[in-house]
Amino acid sequence: MNGSATSRPPLSPTARSTLTRSKERARGDRADLDAVLDAGLVCHLGVLLGGAPVVLPTIYGRDGDTLYLHGSTGAGNLRAAIAGAVSVAVTLVDGVVYARSAMHFSMNFRSAVVHGRAVEIIDPATRLHALEVITEHAAPGAWSRVRLPNKKELAATMVLALDLTEASVKVRTGGPNDEPADIENGGVWAGVLPVRQVWGDPVASADLEPDIAVPADVLDRAAPDLVPVR
Amino acid sequence: MNGSATSRPPLSPTARSTLTRSKERARGDRADLDAVLDAGLVCHLGVLLGGAPVVLPTIYGRDGDTLYLHGSTGAGNLRAAIAGAVSVAVTLVDGVVYARSAMHFSMNFRSAVVHGRAVEIIDPATRLHALEVITEHAAPGAWSRVRLPNKKELAATMVLALDLTEASVKVRTGGPNDEPADIENGGVWAGVLPVRQVWGDPVASADLEPDIAVPADVLDRAAPDLVPVR
């Protein structure tokens, strides 16, 4: 989802959102953060549960400077998320970096890490909007053609919002950073083996009536010739 | 990496490693855990930093019932990892589940979440073995043909081990779990849009001598015809 981009400050440079290692990989613009968050399919949510960190994958959506999460009202991890600080990471792996020496092997990636406090959304209109944002992130174009949440479903769902004010973005591209001596010695292949996510062909549900065509929003996303996601 | 599989107990059923939601997605065998960990490229490490959870992507490797992590001795997050409890998640997204109603949209995925205490590996031989395991996880077959870590590199590297004793594995497959009324009403497409990671063609480093061939371990992994990773 795209939000208003007017007068948005750069990413917050707090101690934990400032890279101390490999600083050249840091990106400081909100557009960089948006790009990584919008390209991901799932995030990893870190909460504090019984004094220990717990990391869990979950779907999400972004609208402007807000990240939305949702889940069952019975989910202990979401309750833990609103009880204290959270951290949310979205990572896209773009390749394995093959170096001339073992310690220079690496990954090309784009990652965003957000820190903050998640708040539960109570307002019904905002809740419904957040659910639309999350659904449209997972399945762009689907919200307008499916049955929307009913009262019972809404009552069983917890919706959280996290401000995107404190975040760091890291991007690694290119080949290995080999030692000059190893490059001079030569004889070892060095480069990148790219990796990417691709969509397959849509698979109809076993209980689907035979006369229902694949909708345009699914068909446009699917790529029988394996065109990359981005 | 494959480790000894003799007399390994099932996954630990502690409170935080026991699923309370969607129990039918839980997998309890160590082989399920191994399969997810071995299929991932990066994990998300959750540590406690200044009282708040911090989630970061990093590479890893598995040998038997041990997960190895590494990083710079100057990395605050690794120091935080050995100071308290950690959580490590590996997630593979297999598809977007399109439902007849908004609240039943979902993801097909395989995920493993490990909880425990990471310990720093000090013994030189175990450290080198761990680095081999991590490198071979990122780039199978590469360790034996590249320059191995020297004293200076080893001194600058912190190696951590995490026992795979407390873990949970979740796998979701198949179509949407739509409401009977929505299925009966019909008229809405339901199914799965698969997604997978594929390797591209190897890209030689700009500073590589022209006469170096792509090694077999890279060539065998690369797939010009976009064969899926798994």
Side-chain angles (χ1 to χ4, degrees), chain A residues 126-181:
Chain A
T126 311
R127 270 165 60 86
L128 197 63
H129 173 68
L131 293 172
E132 178 179 352
V133 168
I134 295 167
T135 305
E136 284 287 302
H137 182 89
W143 182 264
S144 61
R145 59 167 184 76
V146 300
R147 177 178 66 72
L148 298 187
N150 58 34
K151 275 187 185 173
K152 189 184 160 194
E153 289 171 335
L154 288 170
T157 304
M158 187 182 272
V159 179
L160 306 188
L162 176 64
D163 256 7
L164 296 174
T165 45
E166 191 187 351
S168 58
V169 178
K170 256 174 105 171
V171 177
R172 193 204 187 282
T173 59
N177 299 320
D178 274 314
E179 301 298 325

Side-chain angles (χ1 to χ4, degrees), chain B residues 48-68:
Chain B
L48 206 56
L49 206 60
V54 171
V55 179
L56 293 159
T58 188
I59 64 171
Y60 66 96
R62 182 187 72 83
D63 184 20
D65 296 342
T66 304
L67 189 86
Y68 289 116

